[in-house]
Amino acid sequence: MSAKQLIEQLPAAFLPEVAGNADAVFQFDISEPCYLSIKNGACKFSAGHAANPSLTLSADDDVMKKVLTGETNGMVAVMTGKMKTRGNLKLGQSMTTFFDMDALAGGGRKTKPSWLKRTLGKLLSGTAVKPSTPSASNTDVIHAADSDCPFHQNTSEKDGFVDRLLYMETPVDPPGDARNPYPEWAARREKNRVEIETDRYGENAGTLVYLYGHAEVAECLRNNEDFSNAIMQNMFGSVMGDHILVGMDEPAHATYRNLVAPALRPKLLTKWEESLIQVVVDELIINLKAKGNKADLVADFTFAYPARVVGQVIGLPQENFEQFQRWAVGILEGAADPDKAAECAKEVRVYLAPFIEARRSDPREDMISELVHAEIDGKKLNDEEIYSFLLLLLPAGIETTYRALGSTLFHLLSNPEQLNDVRNDRSLVNKALEETLRVDPPVQLTPRIALRESKIGSTIIPANAVVLPLLGAANHDPEFIDDSDRFNIHRSPLRHITFGNGVHTCIGLHLARLEIKIALNKLFDALPGLRFDDDEVVKQDAHIRGKSFRSPTALPVIWDTIDAKTTGQD
Ligand code: HEM
């Protein structure tokens, strides 16, 4: 059966009770283009091109057939560049659930209906609330009978903030418990430092390779000839455009990186330190203290902080920060809600356009001016390249730093003796941060795709495999570091691979370190006796969480007020 013939049969397998009141047009760009229109509980096939499709899927006929029948995971096909998507991505994730593939002539998928399929009808027909956050209140209807739901049930939304990425599962998530995946990774490292998984999505669905050892992770990240970053472009291109630095390979990557890197050079950081970063921290601390002597440092400090710094560094006016923060959140949660991320990215581009234009004739001391005027050997960045870079800064520069700062606080608050050492000797702030980055990297996965058959260590990696170097597993490798699971700021040497390795090594690492050190020092100065609010920690079940991203779910703290200190009361 050809791909077109398969799609032609789909209306006969349509499940109106699952599609509910969905109104969508799916365009299939295959050798014989065709589309499906879904409206009023009916599904119609047409040949050719739709005028205004909700989602366009482009792939070879064979790949399209495998995705439709569930033989290949759609997200993996997109990551490996075998399928391209344009439009409403969330519809793409749910599309195959609209059809009973088993009812098709020639057979189809034989898996049990997914959590999504069982709940989608309710969601689309409005009888259940969309599972947009893991808050208990809005997911009760869905969670009741669904143990495989990707969202946890015991989380509550506080002050409108919840980090949905921490509760999300992705098709490439490594194995292990999201609270503490390291024991599982250690056990797997013992057996196979390079683990090849071929059956997660069924035969022919593509190979996933997990790297658990430090030497293997470093080798893969350094070998940019055999292992390509194009996978990142495939995953995030629809949100960030065609020029994602971290999704490029050589030589285009080097040219682009050389043009953008000066916008984060140390001389600028020195300038920003006093005029900008310290000012942002001071403002946040004033708000914090206005609350009394207790707060959740995630909702009330760490989450807002890097977004404000990056907004200022880019050169955006302060009065737009709240909007900028909302866009940033929308883009950061792109993996949970790709639709919203694409929409936010569009709005950010429209918002940035006049700034880019203005800085051409009137440069200031900000990143947009640096990017607009950057030039090497007569080559300058075009507008699209500038948009892609600025959009990349939201996940790369905000999310990472917010998580790293939160985890550093969490580890110190959980180890009061080490916290005391740091409070009394500020030269240890740096060590506390580096040990946190080792123990709990904010980003665990830096995916690559194998361009050809090659080797890592002595293991053969097949061509087209998705390779997943696990930075946290590498940092916990006993062959790399002794007593590797213990948080110990006094260890020597303090080293890790959390900022990557090779040509893609983080270009924001100096800014990240500076931001975090300033925040920690100022928090310790301003909040004497800062400590966990133990009752709240238990009540909120605060913990560091995540397998692809890691950071605390909450940081409930208390501190001594001046009054309490002078009167000797707490
Ligand atoms: C603790 C904070 C941070 C961590 C842990 C971190 C981690 C990383 C890692 C692991 C990579 C390499 C990705 C790969 O090899 O595929 C990377 C790349 C990158 N980071 Fe960071 N990052 C942090 C903060 C920042 C900041 C503050 C910025 C900018 C403001 C930034 C901008 C970038 C960019 C643009 C790249 C791409 C570099 C390239 O592909 O050449 N990062 N980061």
Side-chain angles (χ1 to χ4, degrees), residues 229 232 245-246 253 257 396-397 400-401 442 448 498-500 504 506 508:
N229 274 53
M232 310 265 208
L245 181 64
V246 75
H253 168 261
R257 180 165 167 134
T400 47
T401 310
R448 299 289 190 265
T498 300
F499 287 115
H504 288 279
C506 179

Side-chain angles (χ1 to χ4, degrees), residues 219-229 249-250 448-452 454 503:
E219 181 184 337
C220 172
L221 295 183
R222 276 197 311 266
N223 181 354
N224 58 304
E225 293 208 342
D226 291 329
F227 301 108
S228 160
N229 274 53
D249 290 328
E250 305 311 308
R448 299 289 190 265
I449 184 133
L451 293 177
R452 54 188 70 85
S454 52
V503 295

Side-chain angles (χ1 to χ4, degrees), residues 303-308 320-330:
F303 192 65
Y305 171 50
R308 288 196 183 200
N320 296 152
F321 276 177
E322 276 191 24
Q323 177 58 60
F324 181 69
Q325 171 102 20
R326 277 198 291 277
W327 281 324
V329 174

Side-chain angles (χ1 to χ4, degrees), residues 185-196 209-217 456-459 468-470 473-474 476-480:
W185 295 350
R188 287 176 184 252
R189 190 192 307 109
E190 280 272 295
K191 273 205 256 162
N192 280 316
R193 296 175 67 84
V194 177
E195 182 183 63
I196 301 201
V209 179
Y210 290 104
L211 307 181
Y212 297 109
H214 184 274
E216 292 76 7
V217 167
I456 296 178
S458 54
T459 309
L468 298 152
L470 289 172
H476 284 245
D477 182 356
E479 284 187 19
F480 169 64

Side-chain angles (χ1 to χ4, degrees), residues 221 229 232 245-247 253 257 264 310 389 392-393 396-398 400-401 404 437 442-443 446-448 471 497-501 503-509 511-512 515-516:
L221 295 183
N229 274 53
M232 310 265 208
L245 181 64
V246 75
H253 168 261
R257 180 165 167 134
L264 283 160
V310 169
F389 184 67
L392 173 63
L393 289 190
I398 295 178
T400 47
T401 310
L437 290 172
V443 176
T446 45
R448 299 289 190 265
L471 301 177
I497 197 164
T498 300
F499 287 115
N501 202 340
V503 295
H504 288 279
T505 296
C506 179
I507 58 169
L509 58 88
L511 176 60
E515 281 179 75
I516 294 171

